[in-house]
Amino acid sequence: MQKSDTFTLLSNPSHYVPRLIADGVAYTDLQNIWNDQEITSMEIWCEKWMNLALEYQSYGEEDLNDGFEIAAGENFWRSSLYNHYGQFLLWHNQMLKGEAMNRKVANYKKAAKLFTPPAERIEVSYESTFLPGYLRIPIRSKRPPCVLLLGGLESTKEESYLFENLCLARGLATFTFDGPGQGEVCKDIRARPDFEKAASAILDVLENRSDIDKTRFGIIGRSLGGYYAARSAAHDGRIRACVAWSVFFKFDFWDRMPRGLKDGFLYVSGKNDEDEAKVYYKSFTLEEAAPKIRCPLYILQGRLDVIFPPEHAELLAREVRGETTLDIEERGTHAAQNLAHVVRPRMADWMARKLA
Amino acid sequence: MQKSDTFTLLSNPSHYVPRLIADGVAYTDLQNIWNDQEITSMEIWCEKWMNLALEYQSYGEEDLNDGFEIAAGENFWRSSLYNHYGQFLLWHNQMLKGEAMNRKVANYKKAAKLFTPPAERIEVSYESTFLPGYLRIPIRSKRPPCVLLLGGLESTKEESYLFENLCLARGLATFTFDGPGQGEVCKDIRARPDFEKAASAILDVLENRSDIDKTRFGIIGRSLGGYYAARSAAHDGRIRACVAWSVFFKFDFWDRMPRGLKDGFLYVSGKNDEDEAKVYYKSFTLEEAAPKIRCPLYILQGRLDVIFPPEHAELLAREVRGETTLDIEERGTHAAQNLAHVVRPRMADWMARKLA
């Protein structure tokens, strides 16, 4: 069987492995699947992860029986994560993708209650549907600041557990949600250039909570979410600090993207062909928004990023008016995922300091 | 250059990679070093890690300058860890080993103050020297239980940061220390069968602290430390729960060990030749101690362990008198390091429940 282009993309370990590891895939599991000769397509890749996810689901249930609640939570979380990474680049098999997504969501719901601190699921009404998210508040904190965490093209709210932990350890509450084009929301609302409206709808709800401080919101978005975060910071003054964890200034790199990635952008926008999508994504731009960003902004970009050009980060830094930190990691790949262990704690520290 | 036997041992990825990853080595760094064709001996392996460690030390110093204290702590910790893994199997070059160990210790001291919660260095007088250890207490806790964490043959107190975090998240204070034959202590006191005396000396000091509960001590030891933990639980009634994270019942497997591992046992015991060492390690036995273990005991062993026979764990479980949980992981290697993400949270949960 010939490997599809998407699968070829995935077969590039230096691009995906560091991210999957940093977000919680166990090294031995990744190693086993990577070396599995039976995997010759994204479908088989997906099924293998789904099977492994079932094992972790069983571990979680056993742990619950034994009274090991925190261990159970981590196993349900890992089950969710493996279903997620099974389907994350599978754009052409809706049945399989849908089943994996359902299991991802269901296992995360079970895990959320068992986390320390727990994650409270909140569904925020939005247009004809709702935006689902998880709120976590540092243990024994008193009205802490709160950071919105945004995924990107194919990353969703279930992928941020470990990054949430970094924030929580620094006294920050976290709210991680699916917006237009992401996770549970994608079937109802496709990706939109004005993601800031979704972020504002979230803040409308969060600012009425008595257990977080409504004067200290931050936002961190990675990859396509870096663009979303910058847009949100430009349009909503309640956001007091913003991290663009990789970003583009305008969508002028369509032609340079590999096939599999284009498929992803087509999928989340619901466009049927490349020409249509290419025009649509031209509306994804920070040209007007950038000068409106007044809050402190931290931009992290990898010099070796082959998706979002590093020059875009430099351009954004020039266009904003407020305090800006431009961190171009010379050895960093996309979102500097290969340096996750260095850049993630630093971004979390920066945010904690800005919202202190 | 011909690869030495120790280096051949290290070249077996399935044995070491999962452990190094689980204890905090960044995947990308390990990948780079593993693929580095220049590394043809343990000396070069050590120098490569030491160089990488210098980079993390610099990151830590930059972070401190930028006011990112938690990130700085993790970078100093990683610098310590890389110096550690540089020298951990280097038994025949004292100069290089000594330098790497010094850097390990120095960087960990810097990191310890920056951890959340911080680690307080305590030096407990013992014979002609002292046992150095680190006490960490969960944030905002009131007299929590406290677990002693023990390393094994070549693992030392600087290797347990991530496992400490699992304990702390469950409300347990941790005290991780070097005993006879380990880390800073090895130059003064070599490995001894009666490790329990060192553990008791530690408890003598800890039970006078007002910030932990002296009626609720636990102990967790891995690999050779599993033997040490079982001995300690047998001889000191202050220990209320014990995890033997892989264990042997008696030292009857000398002849089956690979050369590199024998070198390690020779080194930590200060014996000059195999015959002498083989006789000496016969005194490392749980035959008399096992029936004296009255506190709850959790035994974790990998069925695929090629170092400590799984039957030893079964034998120990039969010989103890108290409540015993025998967890033989059918797919587990030595200390089930390949299943670290499953077994570590579970052991921590078990301990938290027993000391609750």
Side-chain angles (χ1 to χ4, degrees):
Chain A
M1 180 175 178
Q2 209 183 349
K3 293 190 180 187
S4 73
D5 190 51
T6 302
F7 190 70
T8 307
L9 183 73
L10 190 58
S11 301
N12 178 1
S14 69
H15 189 77
Y16 285 103
V17 170
R19 165 177 164 193
L20 269 58
I21 296 271
D23 287 322
V25 173
Y27 168 79
T28 17
D29 291 331
L30 189 56
Q31 192 77 356
N32 288 340
I33 288 206
W34 219 278
N35 293 331
D36 187 335
Q37 297 299 319
E38 291 175 12
I39 300 179
T40 51
S41 72
M42 282 309 298
E43 273 83 1
I44 306 176
W45 163 275
C46 184
E47 284 161 1
K48 293 275 183 177
W49 283 108
M50 288 172 80
N51 286 338
L52 206 47
L54 283 177
E55 287 185 30
Y56 284 92
Q57 200 175 316
S58 304
Y59 291 152
E61 279 149 15
E62 281 169 36
D63 284 337
L64 270 191
N65 278 337
D66 293 341
F68 301 154
E69 299 210 336
I70 303 185
E74 295 240 324
N75 280 317
F76 289 133
W77 159 66
R78 199 163 260 119
S79 181
S80 172
L81 198 68
Y82 288 9
N83 279 304
H84 171 64
Y85 284 126
Q87 60 76 47
F88 84 133
L89 297 176
L90 180 66
W91 308 114
H92 299 296
N93 184 329
Q94 291 324 303
M95 206 122 106
L96 190 57
K97 187 179 184 69
E99 178 59 24
M101 285 179 69
N102 288 342
R103 293 187 193 181
K104 162 174 86 161
V105 170
N107 273 289
Y108 204 84
K109 280 183 185 170
K110 284 196 272 188
K113 300 180 187 112
L114 302 166
F115 288 157
T116 318
E120 177 191 351
R121 187 176 162 103
I122 296 175
E123 299 178 350
V124 173
S125 291
Y126 190 67
E127 298 185 4
S128 60
T129 182
F130 61 86
L131 309 174
Y134 285 97
L135 178 65
R136 298 177 72 193
I137 296 181
I139 290 172
R140 296 188 199 87
S141 61
K142 273 183 83 171
R143 293 181 78 93
C146 180
V147 192
L148 307 191
L149 300 182
L150 312 180
L153 174 68
E154 75 311 88
S155 54
T156 68
K157 65 188 178 309
E158 291 83 2
E159 213 174 330
S160 291
Y161 168 64
L162 294 182
F163 193 82
E164 289 167 6
N165 289 349
L166 293 186
C167 295
L168 291 159
R170 289 153 174 85
L172 301 170
T174 58
F175 188 76
T176 312
F177 67 100
D178 289 337
Q182 300 176 319
E184 290 182 66
V185 177
C186 189
K187 65 182 190 311
D188 297 317
I189 310 177
R190 298 291 168 152
R192 293 198 186 151
D194 56 351
F195 191 97
E196 64 271 16
K197 291 179 182 155
S200 292
I202 298 292
L203 292 182
D204 291 344
V205 168
L206 291 183
E207 70 177 359
N208 288 314
R209 303 243 346 173
S210 60
D211 48 0
I212 52 177
D213 182 350
K214 70 175 176 179
T215 70
R216 292 184 291 161
F217 286 114
I219 194 164
I220 301 179
R222 74 174 175 176
S223 191
L224 179 53
Y227 161 80
Y228 292 153
R231 286 281 302 215
S232 304
H235 289 95
D236 196 316
R238 290 172 291 186
I239 295 170
R240 302 298 167 93
C242 172
V243 174
W245 176 1
S246 95
V247 72
F248 60 84
F249 193 75
K250 54 186 181 176
F251 215 114
D252 59 4
F253 45 90
W254 181 274
D255 293 329
R256 281 187 284 119
M257 291 199 299
R259 177 73 256 158
L261 203 56
K262 286 180 181 170
D263 287 345
F265 277 102
L266 281 169
Y267 180 88
V268 301
S269 62
K271 301 302 171 196
N272 295 313
D273 62 59
E274 261 206 58
D275 291 341
E276 203 187 333
K278 196 171 155 179
V279 171
Y280 181 63
Y281 281 108
K282 282 206 190 303
S283 64
F284 284 60
T285 171
L286 295 176
E287 283 165 302
E288 285 177 33
K292 295 183 189 151
I293 300 174
R294 304 292 164 110
C295 69
L297 174 68
Y298 186 108
I299 308 169
L300 174 74
Q301 198 97 336
R303 180 70 70 195
L304 310 178
D305 190 334
V306 294
I307 304 174
F308 294 174
E311 298 73 28
H312 281 219
E314 291 160 345
L315 184 55
L316 174 60
R318 281 199 299 276
E319 294 293 316
V320 298
R321 302 279 165 84
E323 174 201 325
T324 310
T325 304
L326 178 63
D327 179 358
I328 309 255
E329 290 290 326
E330 294 302 326
R331 289 180 299 178
T333 56
H334 181 60
Q337 295 286 21
N338 59 330
L339 303 173
H341 54 290
V342 179
V343 301
R344 292 184 181 198
R346 200 193 289 156
M347 288 187 288
D349 271 357
W350 182 89
M351 182 55 78
R353 217 164 47 136
K354 291 302 164 192
L355 299 183
Chain B
M1 181 174 177
Q2 210 185 349
K3 294 190 179 188
S4 72
D5 189 52
T6 302
F7 190 68
T8 307
L9 183 73
L10 190 58
S11 300
N12 177 2
S14 68
H15 189 77
Y16 285 103
V17 170
R19 165 176 164 194
L20 269 57
I21 297 272
D23 287 322
V25 172
Y27 168 78
T28 17
D29 291 331
L30 189 56
Q31 192 76 356
N32 288 340
I33 289 206
W34 219 277
N35 293 331
D36 187 334
Q37 298 298 320
E38 291 175 12
I39 300 179
T40 50
S41 72
M42 283 310 297
E43 273 83 1
I44 305 177
W45 162 276
C46 184
E47 284 161 0
K48 293 275 184 178
W49 282 108
M50 287 172 79
N51 286 337
L52 205 47
L54 283 177
E55 287 184 30
Y56 284 94
Q57 201 176 315
S58 304
Y59 292 151
E61 278 149 16
E62 281 169 36
D63 284 336
L64 270 191
N65 278 336
D66 293 340
F68 302 153
E69 300 210 335
I70 303 185
E74 295 239 325
N75 280 317
F76 289 133
W77 159 66
R78 200 163 261 117
S79 181
S80 171
L81 199 68
Y82 288 10
N83 279 303
H84 172 63
Y85 285 125
Q87 59 77 47
F88 83 134
L89 298 176
L90 180 66
W91 308 114
H92 298 296
N93 185 329
Q94 291 325 302
M95 212 129 97
L96 190 57
K97 187 180 184 70
E99 178 58 25
M101 285 179 70
N102 288 342
R103 294 186 192 180
K104 161 174 86 162
V105 170
N107 274 288
Y108 204 85
K109 280 183 185 169
K110 283 196 272 188
K113 300 181 186 110
L114 302 165
F115 288 158
T116 317
E120 177 191 350
R121 187 176 163 104
I122 296 175
E123 299 178 350
V124 173
S125 291
Y126 190 68
E127 299 185 2
S128 60
T129 182
F130 61 86
L131 309 174
Y134 285 97
L135 178 65
R136 298 178 72 193
I137 296 180
I139 290 172
R140 296 188 200 86
S141 61
K142 273 183 82 171
R143 291 180 80 93
C146 181
V147 192
L148 307 191
L149 300 181
L150 312 181
L153 175 68
E154 76 310 87
S155 55
T156 68
K157 65 188 177 308
E158 292 83 2
E159 214 174 331
S160 290
Y161 169 63
L162 294 182
F163 193 83
E164 288 167 7
N165 288 350
L166 294 185
C167 294
L168 291 159
R170 290 153 172 84
L172 301 170
T174 59
F175 188 77
T176 313
F177 67 100
D178 289 336
Q182 298 176 320
E184 290 182 65
V185 178
C186 189
K187 66 182 189 312
D188 297 316
I189 310 177
R190 298 289 167 152
R192 292 198 187 151
D194 56 350
F195 191 98
E196 65 270 16
K197 291 179 182 155
S200 293
I202 297 292
L203 293 181
D204 291 344
V205 169
L206 291 182
E207 71 176 359
N208 287 314
R209 303 249 339 178
S210 61
D211 48 1
I212 52 178
D213 182 351
K214 69 175 176 179
T215 69
R216 292 185 291 163
F217 286 113
I219 194 164
I220 301 180
R222 74 175 174 177
S223 192
L224 179 53
Y227 161 80
Y228 292 154
R231 286 280 303 217
S232 303
H235 289 94
D236 197 317
R238 290 172 292 186
I239 295 171
R240 302 299 166 93
C242 172
V243 174
W245 177 359
S246 95
V247 71
F248 60 83
F249 192 75
K250 54 186 180 174
F251 215 114
D252 59 5
F253 45 89
W254 181 272
D255 293 329
R256 281 187 286 118
M257 291 199 299
R259 175 76 258 159
L261 202 56
K262 286 179 181 171
D263 288 346
F265 277 101
L266 281 169
Y267 180 87
V268 301
S269 62
K271 301 302 172 195
N272 295 313
D273 63 60
E274 262 206 57
D275 291 341
E276 204 188 334
K278 195 172 157 179
V279 171
Y280 181 63
Y281 281 108
K282 282 204 192 304
S283 64
F284 284 60
T285 172
L286 294 176
E287 284 166 302
E288 283 177 34
K292 294 184 188 149
I293 299 174
R294 304 292 164 109
C295 70
L297 173 68
Y298 186 107
I299 308 168
L300 174 75
Q301 199 97 335
R303 180 70 71 194
L304 310 178
D305 190 335
V306 293
I307 305 174
F308 294 175
E311 297 73 28
H312 281 221
E314 292 162 344
L315 183 55
L316 173 60
R318 281 199 300 276
E319 293 293 317
V320 298
R321 302 279 165 84
E323 173 200 325
T324 309
T325 305
L326 177 63
D327 179 358
I328 308 254
E329 291 290 327
E330 294 302 325
R331 289 180 299 178
T333 55
H334 182 60
Q337 295 287 19
N338 59 328
L339 303 173
H341 54 291
V342 179
V343 301
R344 292 184 181 198
R346 199 192 290 158
M347 288 187 288
D349 271 356
W350 182 88
M351 182 57 78
R353 216 161 49 136
K354 290 302 163 193
L355 298 183

